[in-house]
Amino acid sequence: MSFHDVRFPTAISRNAQGGPERRTDVVVLGSGFEERNSRWADSRRSYNAGYGVKSLDDLHQIIAFFEERRGQLHGFRWRDPMDWKSCPPNATPAPLDQNIGTGTGALAAFQLVKVYGSAFAPWTREIKKPVAATVRIAVAGDEKTLGTDFVVDASTGIVTFLSGRIPAIGESVTAGFEFDVPVRFDTDKLEINLSGFTSGAIPNIPIVEVRL
């Protein structure tokens, strides 16, 4: 699907409301017991950017951004203020944050991922929109150099080791990074009441994650 590699204004998204959503079917049996089934293998995030609008200039900026994206037509990057690093929000990404694979001696390409949870049922999320300049990679604990040892595709999240730098058999490949969420507007119409806004009403500006 069409995607514009541009980020929604961070100053507005920082105060937006939203987060991950899952779909679970719950059937209550006659005995009172339940059967539960997860319909989605991966969660999907949604937000309301209206909570981040604090001024008329913010509204003007959103309208311009909305028009350039043609409403729902084109996707774009979104900075999730609660989840945008390979580490906790107040920490600095380090090259040992996330395990992204193990060397085979021939495999050169590795997908950036972030793992949630640990002991019971950890979920691995593919990171498709990293911030390229922030990606740090280590092989067997030894940090490598962007451009010399590896390159990263900011449109897919794939790290590719250059010739002669491919990880050897059994070597762990780890990464640290910042990333964005690929999203689109979840409406083709913005309804903004100026008198209501000046009285404290929050405009509804829905944003939804897109799967790439």
Side-chain angles (χ1 to χ4, degrees), residues 69-100:
R69 306 288 88 73
R70 306 298 192 271
Q72 299 184 84
L73 184 61
H74 301 292
F76 52 91
R77 287 174 175 258
W78 172 274
R79 168 65 58 83
D80 185 331
M82 290 302 297
D83 190 6
W84 55 283
K85 297 179 181 180
S86 56
C87 55
N90 290 327
T92 300
L96 301 180
D97 284 346
Q98 303 290 328
N99 191 328
I100 64 171

Side-chain angles (χ1 to χ4, degrees), residues 6 24 35 39 52 57 81 83 122 124 139 208 212:
V6 60
T24 306
E35 289 186 357
R39 294 169 59 187
D57 285 346
D83 190 6
T124 301
V139 176
V208 65
L212 301 175

Side-chain angles (χ1 to χ4, degrees), residues 50-71:
Y51 285 85
V53 177
K54 304 301 180 185
S55 68
L56 292 180
D57 285 346
D58 287 347
L59 280 176
H60 177 78
Q61 194 174 8
I62 285 179
I63 290 171
F65 195 90
F66 176 86
E67 293 286 19
E68 190 172 8
R69 306 288 88 73
R70 306 298 192 271

Side-chain angles (χ1 to χ4, degrees), residues 7 13-14 16 18-22 43-45 47 78-91 93 98 113-117 123-127 129-131 177-183 209:
R7 183 186 292 158
S13 66
R14 185 180 297 117
E21 175 189 2
R22 288 190 174 270
S43 60
R44 190 184 193 192
R45 284 153 175 76
Y47 310 91
W78 172 274
R79 168 65 58 83
D80 185 331
M82 290 302 297
D83 190 6
W84 55 283
K85 297 179 181 180
S86 56
C87 55
N90 290 327
Q98 303 290 328
V113 298
K114 182 176 180 178
V115 178
Y116 296 76
W123 172 60
T124 301
R125 175 187 184 186
E126 291 190 350
I127 302 301
K129 297 296 176 184
V131 180
F177 45 83
E178 295 178 6
F179 64 94
D180 295 318
V181 182
V183 300
E209 183 178 3

Side-chain angles (χ1 to χ4, degrees), residues 94-110 112 135-146 148-151 159-162 164-176:
L96 301 180
D97 284 346
Q98 303 290 328
N99 191 328
I100 64 171
T102 303
T104 66
L107 183 63
F110 296 81
L112 289 177
V135 176
R136 301 176 65 183
I137 298 294
V139 176
D142 181 27
E143 185 169 7
K144 302 302 178 182
T145 303
L146 177 64
T148 300
D149 300 311
F150 70 93
V151 293
V159 172
T160 303
F161 287 90
L162 302 178
R165 312 289 185 173
I166 295 175
I169 296 175
E171 289 186 323
S172 63
V173 182
T174 55

